[in-house]
Amino acid sequence: MRETEAARIVRSSSAAAGALAALAAAALLWPANAAAAGAPDLEIGRRLYRDGIRASGRPVKVIVAGDTEFEGTQFNCQTCHRRSGLGSFEGDVVASMVTAAALYEDKTSGPRKRRAYTDETLARALRDGVDSDGQPFDPIMPRYELTDVEAEGLIAYLRTLSAQVSPGVTEEQLHLATVITGDIDAGPMLDVLQTFFDEKNNQRRNPEGRRKAGPFYRANVDQAYRRWELHPWRLTGGAASWRAQLEEHYRQQPVFALISGLGGDEWRPIHEFCEAHEIPCLLPNIDLPPIETGDYYSLYFSEGLTLEARAIASQLSSGSHDRRVLQVVHPDARGETAAAALRGALDTRAGRSVEEIRLDRQSFDAAELERRIDASDATVVVLWLTLDEIEELAPWIALGRASAAGPRIYLSSTLTGGSPSAIPEPVRQAAHIAHPFTLDDELPSRFARAKVWLESRGIEIRDPRIQAQTYFVCMLLGEALMHVKYDYFFRDYLIESIDHMTVLSKFSIAHPSPSFGPGQRFISKGCYVLAPAGTAADGAEDAVTWIVPGHTAPGSPVGRNRSAP
Amino acid sequence: MKRTGALVLLLLVAGVWPAATPARADEPCHGAGGEQTGGDVPFTTSYQRYEVPPIRLTDQDGRQVDISRLGTDRPVAVNFIFTTCTTICPVMSASFLRLEEALGEKIGDLQLVSVSIDPEYDTPSVLKRYAEQFGAGPRWSFLTGDAADVTTALKSFDALVGSKMNHKPFTLFKFPEDGRWVRVDGLVGGPTLAEEYLRLARN
């Protein structure tokens, strides 16, 4: 710490002046001791900023809207000024930038001009709600009850916000990685990513010419230009070794964010790596994302198989009569995750039983399975099985339709390939299907734009869903980085830009009704349940129901009073 | 067509367009235009006629609430929030809490209702957690529901904005004996909202 800063901070502490004067002298004479003696406590500042928690552990006391006193963690700085300190807006309310670069500069433009803050006027601003010129803030900015130590800690923390450009960014390049686990064929995804990156980088820029001749030339936009560099990170061997592989990749080439990605049943090591380094991980193509972590940096399309299970549970619990549920579990991480999610979602409701049949790992014996199900008294059978297995059971499933007393059958769209129309017709006529993706009959129109883009670039469409999703992520990143002016290449700001995105959700292809929002990390919240084909005609059930788990209402039929989201 | 346009223009100029103008001089409002300040916050009070359809939303405890019944057998205050909102919602929720406190015994059987404008994220359990964070009492309901139903509800209260990020702060009051709704536009603090409520209740 510089001597002047140490002196100023000590001076601003009003209590116990005598003791502090001695400390100040000590700090001035031996600057190395300053940290131990009176340096601002960054941790106190961080907890106030992010959580609204005081040094005492109590929530901070605030006055908002002119006259409303409140003690609570909802009025932390991060809520409005965001983790980056670069601020936010809602309607016509603007939360301004609170980075050191913004605060310690004269503000000479915009509706609110003011001189540069000092640490003293900043502390006054927090406590009394007036700016560096003594002008009162908009009443939405709370006034805070802070001790000197807390104000100093908070101000010191503000100085750290977006103070340095994030790793993975150079003067000319923006480094981005995509993670591929195991030996999955990444070709379809990489084709889209590389083509998008190349195209973006090849756009003719001619900054010199525009600077001279362009009437709308703005240096800050030009400054924000970077070439996107793609780094595919392939992880090999067992999942236990992936974290170390990721660290090594990152050591060799720091990246700004992870984009798209391909994974099998295990994604947690990548998730944890991203959280540890605070690296945004944007929408990997996976079906088993880590759920309920409360984490910040990983964004997923949906809860995947867990979402399917919760939607089924939601539909079952809205039924009036008691249901004895039998789950048939394909013995792998996907089957087990789905089964555990259904068990968890149903367990909380009284009067229901959940039994399970776990398939043999070695062989699938359809006849034996059918006997066991028939021998049970289940009224609902949820088949967490693959398409191959379902096809073997097809005659038995179809038979169930003939007998009215047969159990209600549920299938997983994710486990059967994600396209209900690919499931044999007799099965579709007899089973309910949980489908967390865009409906098959809406897919062509949703996919049209991406399809044209892919085909006109000569990209072979081998995996429409993965390629459409990857295209969407590219668009998302491009849109989010459009908001990056000057050199605001801060990861927190990228996440915040995405949180505030509203328009792009309309371009989602594979996932219905996506929406973004601060702290929302699964962009598609609901799942369709398709009733057995043909049941809608006899009025027994709606053909398609949109279910957002957690809502107690039974879900809304699609097509009657609303179109598909 | 031309005549209708001229008529609309006339009505607007005359300030008697029935639904959406600020209070007229004969309405119980301070000042001519309804512009006021309280706790240094400017706000506008106006009377509205809303056709509220009989839609059932769900509260934070899973109970069904028919929104067309709001304000018909007890007075109600309504605002519109979402739990992941970065700016105005925490302030609006704090104001509601303080409204309750500021009214004290005068609160009578006033009901408080906060309707989520982000229903797919704001499930009843998410709203329950939010209510607990704010220490909401039993007279305060947080409503959510099917996205299409919530959209219809928002439309009926002239509260629908294209995006939840363009959300604007206002509070509605309704009294059983009056068919009209009172709309208080502005980010008003609890004590000021309480004064406004009592003033309206007297009228």
Side-chain angles (χ1 to χ4, degrees), chain A residues 87-305:
Chain A
S88 68
F89 63 91
E90 190 179 312
D92 38 24
V93 176
V94 176
S96 54
M97 292 201 282
V98 293
T99 58
L103 293 172
Y104 296 103
E105 279 287 314
D106 289 344
K107 194 158 184 286
T108 55
S109 63
R112 284 192 71 106
K113 300 177 182 61
R114 54 151 179 80
R115 74 183 76 168
Y117 279 97
T118 62
D119 287 352
E120 285 77 15
T121 55
L122 204 47
R124 185 182 68 176
L126 293 165
R127 288 180 175 136
D128 303 339
V130 294
D131 71 11
S132 50
D133 293 330
Q135 293 301 310
F137 287 133
D138 186 292
I140 195 167
M141 168 67 196
R143 284 174 273 154
Y144 290 89
E145 188 183 275
L146 299 172
T147 64
D148 288 350
V149 170
E150 287 168 336
E152 285 160 13
L154 185 51
I155 289 167
Y157 184 70
L158 294 181
R159 286 177 180 273
T160 68
L161 294 174
S162 299
Q164 279 175 326
V165 165
S166 295
V169 185
T170 67
E171 286 287 301
E172 276 156 10
Q173 291 163 310
L174 183 71
H175 294 281
L176 300 158
T178 189
V179 167
I180 303 139
T181 67
D183 50 8
I184 304 171
D185 174 15
M189 176 188 75
L190 288 175
D191 282 351
V192 177
L193 285 174
Q194 197 60 63
T195 305
F196 196 98
F197 279 37
D198 288 347
E199 198 160 294
K200 191 190 169 301
N201 294 339
N202 289 338
Q203 283 162 2
R204 194 166 165 272
R205 306 243 342 125
N206 186 22
E208 206 48 48
R210 286 188 298 141
R211 186 172 299 137
K212 286 188 187 132
F216 303 110
Y217 176 79
R218 279 159 65 210
N220 63 31
V221 175
D222 207 43
Q223 255 170 283
Y225 178 78
R226 298 288 189 283
R227 280 181 63 82
W228 292 12
E229 302 291 344
L230 180 66
H231 304 277
W233 290 354
R234 195 177 269 280
L235 307 180
T236 56
S241 69
W242 291 354
R243 179 65 185 267
Q245 294 178 46
L246 288 163
E247 298 290 350
E248 181 55 21
H249 279 298
Y250 187 62
R251 198 187 58 76
Q252 288 181 10
Q253 176 57 65
V255 294
F256 183 66
L258 266 52
I259 176 172
S260 196
L262 281 175
D265 295 347
E266 187 60 73
W267 192 258
R268 196 169 283 276
I270 298 102
H271 178 103
E272 287 171 355
F273 164 79
C274 288
E275 295 301 324
H277 291 278
E278 306 195 333
I279 303 172
C281 178
L282 307 180
L283 303 173
N285 301 292
I286 55 169
D287 298 321
L288 298 179
I291 311 274
E292 275 151 21
T293 58
D295 287 338
Y296 194 78
Y297 291 95
S298 297
L299 251 73
Y300 299 103
F301 280 110
S302 80
E303 292 180 349
L305 273 160

Side-chain angles (χ1 to χ4, degrees), chain A residues 67-69 80 520 546 551, chain B residues 86 98 118-120 164 190 192:
Chain A
D67 60 10
T68 298
E69 273 189 34
C80 303
Q520 302 187 15
W546 171 251
H551 280 275
Chain B
T86 53
R98 288 294 165 259
D118 189 12
E120 294 208 334
K164 61 186 179 242
T192 309

Side-chain angles (χ1 to χ4, degrees), chain B:
Chain B
M1 264 326 278
K2 210 172 172 185
R3 281 175 63 108
T4 320
L7 183 63
V8 168
L9 192 68
L10 259 173
L11 282 165
L12 281 171
V13 169
V16 292
W17 190 238
T21 44
R24 302 198 304 274
D26 59 341
E27 302 281 17
C29 264
H30 304 307
E35 275 284 347
Q36 304 168 59
T37 59
D40 298 329
V41 182
F43 64 95
T44 311
T45 300
S46 59
Y47 281 90
Q48 308 288 340
R49 291 203 180 268
Y50 295 132
E51 291 296 326
V52 184
I55 283 172
R56 286 178 175 279
L57 299 181
T58 309
D59 75 6
Q60 71 271 31
D61 294 309
R63 289 181 297 242
Q64 301 275 299
V65 175
D66 177 347
I67 58 164
S68 67
R69 302 289 307 154
L70 290 176
T72 54
D73 46 19
R74 57 191 280 206
V76 68
V78 180
N79 69 13
F80 300 86
I81 56 136
F82 62 106
T83 61
T84 57
C85 164
T86 53
T87 50
I88 61 180
C89 308
V91 180
M92 293 173 73
S93 298
S95 291
F96 253 33
L97 191 76
R98 288 294 165 259
L99 167 67
E100 196 172 345
E101 199 178 271
L103 285 172
E105 286 177 3
K106 295 179 190 156
I107 195 162
D109 55 357
L110 174 67
Q111 181 187 12
L112 304 177
V113 173
S114 294
V115 181
S116 169
I117 61 167
D118 189 12
E120 294 208 334
Y121 184 80
D122 290 338
T123 60
S125 62
V126 169
L127 289 173
K128 176 106 180 153
R129 210 157 48 236
Y130 186 79
E132 282 166 3
Q133 276 177 5
F134 278 92
R139 67 172 70 238
W140 191 355
S141 305
F142 293 79
L143 302 184
T144 181
D146 177 69
D149 287 344
V150 170
T151 300
T152 310
L154 294 179
K155 265 186 205 158
S156 70
F157 288 116
D158 192 20
L160 189 69
V161 285
S163 138
K164 61 186 179 242
M165 297 305 174
N166 287 330
H167 174 209
K168 292 199 169 49
F170 65 89
T171 308
L172 304 175
F173 289 114
K174 191 178 177 308
F175 300 90
E177 58 276 15
D178 194 336
R180 301 168 304 175
W181 286 81
V182 188
R183 180 173 175 127
V184 181
D185 281 289
L187 196 67
V188 188
T192 309
L193 214 48
E195 274 173 41
E196 191 64 2
Y197 170 74
L198 291 174
R199 191 182 64 74
L200 293 162
R202 280 193 301 272
N203 285 293

Side-chain angles (χ1 to χ4, degrees), chain A residues 364-378:
Chain A
F364 180 73
D365 184 343
E368 167 65 11
L369 179 60
E370 290 161 13
R371 265 196 304 279
R372 288 180 67 186
I373 298 174
D374 286 339
S376 79
D377 62 351

